[in-house]
Amino acid sequence: MNQASISNKCSKIALTVVNGTLLFFGVACLVKGVLVLWTSDDGSKATTGLAAGLFLLLASSVDRFEVLKGWGLEARTKQLDKAISEAAATLQQLRKIAELSSESIVSLNAKTGRWDSAPSTQSAYEVVKRVRANLIELGSEDQEIKRIMAPWVKVTTNDQVRAILLELRRTMQLGSEHYRLKIQSYPQPISAGDPNYQSLVDNLNKFGSFEGSNFGDCNDWPMGSHASKLVSFVENMPLFDEADRPRLRLLIDPWLQRLDYLAREYELLDKEEWFKTTIT
């Protein structure tokens, strides 16, 4: 038992003793006053005894009162359970206000300046970190905190994934450009059903078809699917030179765990890597 709890217990015992003593003498004075009033014609003594008894009874329960103003006994009750209930209700209201304002802060911070002067990953993270700490201190539920953090998670994820997709698209465009130039320089006239020419056309179409089907706006991807989609792209995308595929695997590999961690924990893994300039 620590010193604070011992002190608190002693205070309660002392208060109980004082209240009991005042109660005893209060009752005694009331009894004395009634007896004097019943057996004697001395009204002043009876009044004094009754008044003293009432005062002592009042004093014995003084811990239940917040305000006492003179003999008029103007008082407001101080019930501990009521105070706790009111404090809990106030805290709940404060929590709701904090959650609402925090949601707005995170959302605005994530979306501000997307066209020209967006906040850096680090500055956005610092704002979100402070908001999250405040919500945890207020006792907000983890699920509610994640709902508020969702806009930042989505924007941070999409910014990095777009940078990676840009490099994948560049590699694909080099391959498609190779076949496009081959087709443009193919000897004329071209015979109908020429297998070599048709092979060039088919290969070029593979690039266009894959890019059109897979390289849409990653903003529409479900949260948590980005890492698996990147793996699928690298393994299935058409390439002119297969030597590019191991290089692209190395490009995305360190980001797979980071993206999954952000989607799951709403927190950055390897923060310094996120804060670096994105892939260009």
Side-chain angles (χ1 to χ4, degrees):
M1 184 177 295
N2 57 38
Q3 185 174 359
S5 62
I6 294 175
S7 176
N8 188 43
K9 186 175 181 180
C10 291
S11 297
K12 288 182 179 180
I13 293 174
L15 183 61
T16 301
V17 171
V18 171
N19 287 345
T21 303
L22 292 173
L23 178 63
F24 173 79
F25 284 108
V27 172
C29 287
L30 284 176
V31 171
K32 179 65 175 178
V34 170
L35 288 176
V36 170
L37 185 63
W38 185 266
T39 61
S40 173
D41 293 333
D42 193 347
S44 61
K45 289 183 178 180
T47 301
T48 301
L50 292 173
L54 289 173
F55 182 81
L56 290 172
L57 287 177
L58 175 64
S60 70
S61 59
V62 70
D63 59 308
R64 295 180 179 272
F65 292 88
E66 180 183 1
V67 178
L68 290 173
K69 292 185 177 179
W71 190 249
L73 302 180
E74 181 182 343
R76 288 184 297 175
T77 60
K78 183 185 178 183
Q79 298 294 340
L80 184 58
D81 55 344
K82 181 180 179 181
I84 293 175
S85 177
E86 291 175 349
T90 302
L91 180 60
Q92 180 67 15
Q93 293 173 349
L94 179 61
R95 183 180 296 123
K96 293 292 185 183
I97 294 172
E99 290 171 352
L100 180 61
S101 60
S102 296
E103 181 177 6
S104 300
I105 291 171
V106 171
S107 180
L108 290 173
N109 181 68
K111 296 174 182 177
T112 298
R114 302 314 303 165
W115 292 106
D116 50 12
S117 57
S120 66
T121 302
Q122 183 170 2
S123 61
Y125 174 74
E126 293 300 327
V127 171
V128 169
K129 184 171 69 172
R130 291 196 299 271
V131 169
R132 185 175 196 169
N134 289 337
L135 292 175
I136 292 174
E137 186 175 352
L138 283 170
S140 295
E141 295 291 334
D142 185 63
Q143 199 62 30
E144 184 65 18
I145 295 176
K146 286 187 174 182
R147 186 186 67 80
I148 293 171
M149 306 265 289
W152 167 74
V153 172
K154 186 173 184 178
V155 169
T156 303
T157 298
N158 288 343
D159 282 352
Q160 184 59 46
V161 170
R162 286 192 188 99
I164 295 174
L165 290 178
L166 181 61
E167 179 60 25
L168 300 184
R169 185 177 283 112
R170 283 174 178 171
T171 303
M172 282 190 59
Q173 287 173 345
L174 291 175
S176 63
E177 185 64 18
H178 167 81
Y179 289 110
R180 187 175 292 108
L181 292 175
K182 285 286 188 179
I183 291 173
Q184 290 176 354
S185 61
Y186 200 80
Q188 301 291 330
I190 302 172
S191 302
D194 185 329
N196 293 328
Y197 181 80
Q198 190 60 45
S199 176
L200 293 174
V201 172
D202 290 343
N203 284 325
L204 180 61
N205 289 338
K206 287 180 182 178
F207 283 88
S209 177
F210 187 90
E211 184 172 357
S213 300
N214 296 282
F215 283 88
D217 189 358
C218 61
N219 190 59
D220 298 328
W221 296 0
M223 188 59 62
S225 67
H226 297 75
S228 61
K229 282 183 176 291
L230 289 176
V231 171
S232 177
F233 287 178
V234 170
E235 296 304 321
N236 296 294
M237 62 190 293
L239 295 170
F240 170 67
D241 187 354
E242 276 296 323
D244 287 329
R245 205 174 302 277
R247 177 180 63 82
L248 296 177
R249 288 173 182 147
L250 290 175
L251 172 70
I252 70 169
D253 185 66
W255 288 102
L256 301 180
Q257 185 178 3
R258 294 167 190 161
L259 291 169
D260 280 339
Y261 187 84
L262 177 57
R264 184 177 66 255
E265 302 294 335
Y266 286 52
E267 179 59 89
L268 298 182
L269 180 66
D270 301 329
K271 297 181 183 65
E272 295 304 319
E273 295 300 320
W274 285 94
F275 298 159
K276 290 179 181 178
T277 304
T278 54
I279 303 169
T280 57

